[in-house]
Amino acid sequence: MIGLTVRQMQYFEALAQTLHFGRAAKLAGVSQPALSAQIAEMEQRLNCRLFERGGKVVRMTDEALALQPRIERILTDIRDVETTARRGRPAMEGRFRLGIIPTVAPYLLPHVLPELKRHFPALQLELREAVTASLVEDSASGRLDAFIAALPLDHPGLVSEELFCDRFFLAVPSGDPAFASPPVPPESPALERLMLLEEGHCLREQALAVCGSVRPVAMASYGATSLTTLLQMVAHGLGVTLIPEMATGPASVMRDLKIVPFQEPMPQRTICMAWRRNKVRHDECVELAKIIRGLDAAVLAA
């Protein structure tokens, strides 16, 4: 009998997702040696190599690719069993896995986490920051209980509740004469210098939608992975970028950076909370969404 463990399958899932032992260990919440040892034992028990290690590159073997959908189904069933077993316990107690997109996490979490701790001291919150597509996939497969992102979300297996609207402003170099007389019309030629996040970030698509009348070929994509990086580039005069209102507080203290409004009606995004379309954790998700909606808009922008 082979005798694979649930832990080994979880580590396999993390490594298959990241293709990096360090990142997989971080995702699984263990040390890298512990994860490597369990993967090696899993390969020994299956009598086959699952991952090819070549320097910093990790590749899945054909055997691993064949096993991956089966292991994911097994782990999804196990998570469903764990979730079903929670029925009858007090709401918002124990483990809750929450995902959140990078352009919301650093601005919302400092306000949300103290409120959750105050209302639900027994809650064991596990956070994962990732782009929307990854959060949708992880929620649909049961690896997350819920996530916070921007609408629209196109997945029939998810249900969502709106949390709040977040207006868009423009971050520009403080001495730029093109923005001396705001507000900025969305068709302004100066927006040809708009810098974008890399592919996969919803803020990139939202920026393109807001400035849709500007020639896309003139928009610069530097492959930035964070809004903070883009703001630093703006402060050094390399271009301009879209900034959500919840990020304007921290950005307003940056040197050589100015925040200017768009013309009314100002563009905005709608932040939502989403989870799998089932009734097991529905009430907890609704309660969490209620707490986030209760935060004052001025607090979020601070």
Side-chain angles (χ1 to χ4, degrees):
M1 186 174 180
I2 293 177
L4 293 181
T5 67
V6 174
R7 178 176 298 174
Q8 288 169 348
M9 288 187 284
Q10 289 172 334
Y11 293 175
F12 172 93
E13 179 187 52
L15 187 54
Q17 182 178 337
T18 61
L19 295 179
H20 188 282
F21 277 90
R23 288 194 290 269
K26 184 177 180 181
L27 183 62
V30 296
S31 68
Q32 183 173 332
L35 182 137
S36 297
Q38 288 296 319
I39 293 295
E41 183 177 336
M42 186 178 183
E43 290 177 326
Q44 184 178 359
R45 290 186 178 186
L46 292 172
N47 195 30
C48 68
R49 179 62 63 91
L50 298 174
F51 297 93
E52 296 289 347
R53 295 90 157 162
K56 295 183 178 180
V57 179
V58 177
R59 295 187 179 90
M60 297 178 68
T61 64
D62 291 340
E63 290 82 358
L65 290 171
L67 284 172
Q68 186 178 16
R70 299 183 182 183
I71 288 177
E72 288 181 347
R73 284 196 298 270
I74 291 170
L75 291 176
T76 296
D77 289 342
I78 291 172
R79 290 169 182 133
D80 285 341
V81 169
E82 291 174 344
T83 301
T84 302
R86 286 185 48 83
R87 289 174 175 168
R89 293 193 202 173
M92 301 303 285
E93 180 185 84
R95 184 187 188 203
F96 191 92
R97 301 159 300 175
L98 179 67
I100 187 165
I101 57 174
T103 57
V104 169
Y107 314 111
L108 181 63
L109 290 179
H111 306 292
V112 169
L113 295 181
E115 287 298 305
L116 291 180
K117 186 175 182 180
R118 183 168 68 88
H119 284 86
F120 308 111
L123 181 68
Q124 300 170 12
L125 191 65
E126 297 180 7
L127 296 170
R128 186 189 172 207
E129 185 177 312
V131 297
T132 303
S134 296
L135 298 179
V136 167
E137 179 182 347
D138 286 351
S139 294
S141 65
R143 291 191 290 267
L144 287 175
D145 295 307
F147 67 94
I148 297 171
L151 291 173
L153 299 174
D154 185 20
H155 194 289
L158 298 177
V159 61
S160 64
E161 280 203 14
E162 294 185 8
L163 299 177
F164 54 87
C165 292
D166 190 24
R167 297 184 299 173
F168 285 124
F169 289 74
L170 198 65
V172 304
S174 57
D176 196 323
F179 302 99
S181 301
V184 180
E187 67 277 4
S188 170
L191 293 176
E192 292 180 354
R193 296 155 47 207
L194 189 73
M195 296 186 298
L196 306 171
L197 290 171
E198 67 178 3
E199 294 282 356
H201 288 266
C202 60
L203 188 59
R204 174 188 176 91
E205 304 306 319
Q206 291 155 357
L208 290 170
V210 168
C211 307
S213 60
V214 178
R215 290 181 298 129
V217 293
M219 293 186 178
S221 175
Y222 290 87
T225 59
S226 75
L227 181 58
T228 301
T229 300
L230 281 182
L231 293 175
Q232 291 288 347
M233 295 165 73
V234 171
H236 285 84
L238 298 179
V240 302
T241 197
L242 206 67
I243 179 171
E245 186 171 15
M246 63 165 48
T248 56
S252 64
V253 300
M254 293 179 62
R255 292 184 58 185
D256 303 319
L257 189 77
K258 181 169 69 171
I259 309 298
V260 297
F262 283 97
Q263 278 185 350
E264 294 287 354
M266 290 182 64
Q268 64 181 23
R269 62 178 179 173
T270 301
I271 304 301
C272 75
M273 184 170 168
W275 57 91
R276 277 202 298 170
R277 193 180 294 277
N278 61 48
K279 296 183 178 180
V280 177
R281 306 209 76 164
H282 176 83
D283 292 343
E284 292 173 290
C285 293
V286 170
E287 186 65 23
L288 179 55
K290 179 181 177 182
I291 289 175
I292 297 175
R293 276 196 302 269
L295 294 173
D296 189 91
V299 171
L300 292 178

